[in-house]
Amino acid sequence: MYTQILWGGILLSLCAMMHISLLVLAIPVTKLIGKGVSSLHFLVKDAVLIVAVFAFVVLAHTLQVWLWAVCFVWLGALAFLEEAIYFSLVTYTTVGYGDVTVGSDFRIFAAMASVTGLLTFGLSTAFLVTFFERMRVGNAR
């Protein structure tokens, strides 16, 4: 049990660092994109920036799902990568269909994937809300 918590915590921490790094990287990239499209109509410019920010958020979550999936296969919790990606995705998003499961040796470890998803979706939500608020304030000028 403690080993599952330890490894789950390590992977959760790696995912959190990756997620935060990508969100932080999104800031200067969107500023750079904003300068590149500054001559466009503000609606087009805003759409381009929103797409860019969403791309960073989707990339961050996708990489984490893949990381969990690779670990499930590497540790022997699941036999095939496709099955592991599916399980990782439904666990990370807390959908949890239950059609693919891991054995009791990995249940706590797998639950840490859902904790990772909960925390990083919260970060993404806060980031997007702040981004949209700053866009709204910037366009009000």
Side-chain angles (χ1 to χ4, degrees):
M1 173 179 78
Y2 297 112
T3 304
Q4 291 183 64
I5 294 170
L6 173 68
W7 286 111
I10 290 169
L11 194 51
L12 186 156
S13 299
L14 287 172
C15 286
M17 287 187 285
M18 178 189 338
H19 196 85
I20 292 166
S21 297
L22 283 168
L23 293 181
V24 168
L25 180 61
I27 296 167
V29 170
T30 54
K31 286 181 180 178
L32 186 62
I33 292 170
K35 288 178 183 174
V37 296
S38 63
S39 63
L40 299 175
H41 187 274
F42 79 93
L43 292 176
V44 176
K45 178 183 172 183
D46 287 355
V48 169
L49 293 174
I50 290 168
V51 168
V53 167
F54 266 83
F56 271 93
V57 169
V58 170
L59 176 64
H61 289 291
T62 302
L63 289 174
Q64 291 171 78
V65 167
W66 274 85
L67 181 57
W68 278 98
V70 167
C71 287
F72 285 130
V73 171
W74 181 61
L75 294 171
L78 295 165
F80 305 103
L81 184 59
E82 186 274 335
E83 178 183 51
I85 291 169
Y86 172 78
F87 176 79
S88 179
L89 184 59
V90 298
T91 302
Y92 181 85
T93 59
T94 70
V95 171
Y97 291 126
D99 53 339
V100 176
T101 59
V102 295
S104 60
D105 291 349
F106 296 99
R107 283 190 301 209
I108 295 170
F109 177 74
M112 297 296 278
S114 65
V115 174
T116 304
L118 285 168
L119 293 173
T120 56
F121 277 117
L123 282 173
S124 293
T125 301
F127 184 80
L128 290 171
V129 166
T130 302
F131 177 78
F132 284 120
E133 179 61 20
R134 290 189 179 179
M135 282 182 66
R136 187 187 66 76
V137 170
N139 286 337
R141 289 186 233 160

